Amino acid sequence: MRILPIIAAATLALSALAVAVNQAATSLTARGEYRVGVRTINALNGTRKLTLEVWYPANLAANLEATTYQSTVGATPYAVKGQAGRDAPALEGKFPLLVYSHGQPGSRMQAAYLLEHLASQGYVVAGIDHAEATYADLKQESYVAGLVDRPQDILAVLGAVPKAVPSADGNNAGLIGYSYGGYSSLNAAGLGLDSANLAEYCKASNNEGPCFIQPFIANLEAVRGASVVKPDPRVKVVFVMAPYGGPWLSPKNLADMRVPLFIGIGSDDKVATPARDAISDFKRSGSPKKYLLTLEGATHNPWIVCPPEIRSNAQDFERCSEPAWNHADSHALTMHYASAFFGLHLQGKANLEGLLTPALEGAPVTKRVKLEVGK
């Protein structure tokens, strides 16, 4: 079991200082110009009941930006202070809609630090609790059914959120996904399942990793396969962190991809292994603007929250801990690059293009960081 309590304690002790340094380094890790509201809403994907946390630019005083996000990692509950007004009135106007898909299992709060931050930059941001895929309700069969259900959840949320928060522009949308949610976001964006590509990979790899779905791929492909799934015109950009399941995706759909794509990966990720998943997706994508951010030495978890409470349970700490990186640094990088990517490609802020180059201009952390830009 990978538990490093001394390193974890040191990381927590340094967190406040690291955040202060990071925020001083670049405006994209600092709070945006908008005050933020947050509310919990319900949505449906057919008969699937989805719980959403929605952050949005709000009309409220600064001293009312206070809430507590409660969730779990595994069986361990935690509470994190947020800077958002619960059920605050939304600002009038239209703001691009971002939809976040969590890992398997996970929760809509898994990247709350990022989703709240993006709302302050001028987005409506919805985090999904995928039914039967959270820590509270995970079913084993969801590892297979989720290949169809989860992308459809995302597409349903694109329609549901603007009805509940009219300032959300569902026709100008971006997708954010982590791990299994990375696959879910890519499939929702039009990258279908491909049984032939999976079979070729499984033969070469001796049925490693993603090959567990081979017995089910024909039925899944009939619903979310390469010949069925089409790019959704509402989806303008895709940002994924440690995306899982590269061999599931159609090489042709990837080559035909035309929306900007950002992929983040840890070089030592043993779950979503870089060569199989992130690097393969990056190289095969035909996106005219694509980026691959590598955190050297990081594993699977630098992108998600890991509150102090989780250290009390070794098994749950394993689900979110990151031995070679402190989360303050990796979260600052995630906020910086997500803000630059969405700002450039969804809000049209051309001045941000200089922050998306291998020179790491403006990055809050540059040691052990590499950004590749594809053409």
Side-chain angles (χ1 to χ4, degrees):
M1 187 67 67
R2 175 170 56 81
I3 293 293
L4 300 175
I6 295 175
I7 293 176
T11 294
L12 289 167
L14 291 171
S15 290
L17 175 61
V19 169
V21 171
N22 289 336
Q23 289 185 343
T26 170
S27 63
L28 295 187
T29 58
R31 190 80 169 178
E33 64 179 289
Y34 294 96
R35 304 260 168 80
V36 176
V38 63
R39 65 184 65 165
T40 306
I41 68 173
N42 297 312
L44 289 173
N45 167 21
T47 60
R48 284 169 60 80
K49 297 179 180 179
L50 309 174
T51 302
L52 314 179
E53 205 73 10
V54 182
W55 291 263
Y56 51 90
N59 183 11
L60 79 166
N63 65 339
L64 298 179
E65 281 188 303
T67 192
T68 300
Y69 304 127
Q70 296 183 333
S71 189
T72 66
V73 173
T76 307
Y78 69 84
V80 173
K81 295 294 184 182
Q83 193 175 343
R86 177 63 60 180
D87 298 319
L91 275 182
E92 294 184 0
K94 286 293 183 183
F95 300 93
L97 173 60
L98 304 176
V99 177
Y100 173 77
S101 177
H102 61 69
Q104 184 91 342
S107 85
R108 67 189 189 275
M109 300 296 190
Q110 195 170 47
Y113 75 94
L114 173 63
L115 309 187
E116 182 188 276
H117 179 72
L118 289 169
S120 80
Q121 304 279 344
Y123 304 91
V124 176
V125 191
I128 307 174
D129 267 359
H130 290 285
E132 300 178 351
T134 71
Y135 290 117
D137 66 0
L138 177 68
K139 292 187 177 180
Q140 192 66 28
E141 53 265 33
S142 293
Y143 281 94
V144 173
L147 273 77
V148 167
D149 293 337
R150 290 170 53 119
Q152 292 178 331
D153 290 345
I154 292 169
L155 297 174
V157 167
L158 286 178
V161 171
K163 296 176 182 177
V165 184
S167 59
D169 185 354
N171 292 315
N172 189 30
L175 305 183
I176 306 171
Y178 164 67
S179 191
Y180 216 89
Y183 155 76
S184 305
S185 298
L186 291 166
N187 185 278
L191 306 185
L193 296 166
D194 187 324
S195 58
N197 187 56
L198 179 63
E200 181 180 344
Y201 174 80
C202 294
K203 183 177 180 180
S205 69
N206 194 28
N207 294 314
E208 180 272 344
C211 298
F212 76 88
I213 73 160
Q214 266 206 298
F216 315 100
I217 188 67
N219 290 336
L220 298 169
E221 192 175 25
V223 184
R224 298 298 304 176
S227 63
V228 180
V229 172
K230 304 297 179 187
D232 191 303
R234 296 173 296 180
V235 177
K236 312 299 188 190
V237 290
V238 179
F239 184 102
V240 292
M241 301 163 284
Y244 185 82
W248 296 337
L249 300 173
S250 162
K252 182 181 186 305
N253 284 175
L254 271 163
D256 291 341
M257 190 175 191
R258 292 296 177 265
V259 299
L261 173 66
F262 192 106
I263 302 176
I265 192 68
S267 66
D268 290 355
D269 195 333
K270 301 299 189 294
V271 178
T273 56
R276 182 193 70 205
D277 296 326
I279 295 173
S280 176
D281 292 347
F282 175 74
K283 288 182 175 179
R284 293 186 297 172
S285 168
S287 297
K289 294 288 187 178
K290 59 182 180 180
Y291 312 86
L292 179 66
L293 176 69
T294 302
L295 306 189
E296 298 293 344
T299 61
H300 194 57
N301 302 323
W303 323 100
I304 59 174
V305 298
C306 198
E309 297 96 317
I310 311 305
R311 291 182 298 156
S312 66
N313 184 307
Q315 183 176 1
D316 291 340
F317 186 62
E318 181 79 7
R319 297 175 185 267
C320 67
S321 60
E322 188 56 45
W325 276 76
N326 80 54
H327 279 92
D329 283 341
S330 59
H331 289 180
L333 281 164
T334 307
M335 291 190 295
H336 171 74
Y337 282 111
S339 297
F341 176 72
F342 288 121
L344 174 62
H345 295 297
L346 207 52
Q347 293 179 325
K349 296 179 178 178
N351 62 305
L352 297 179
E353 188 162 15
L355 303 184
L356 292 165
T357 73
L360 303 178
E361 182 71 25
V365 180
T366 56
K367 187 177 180 180
R368 298 183 298 152
V369 178
K370 179 172 66 175
L371 182 68
E372 299 170 64
V373 181
K375 297 180 180 178

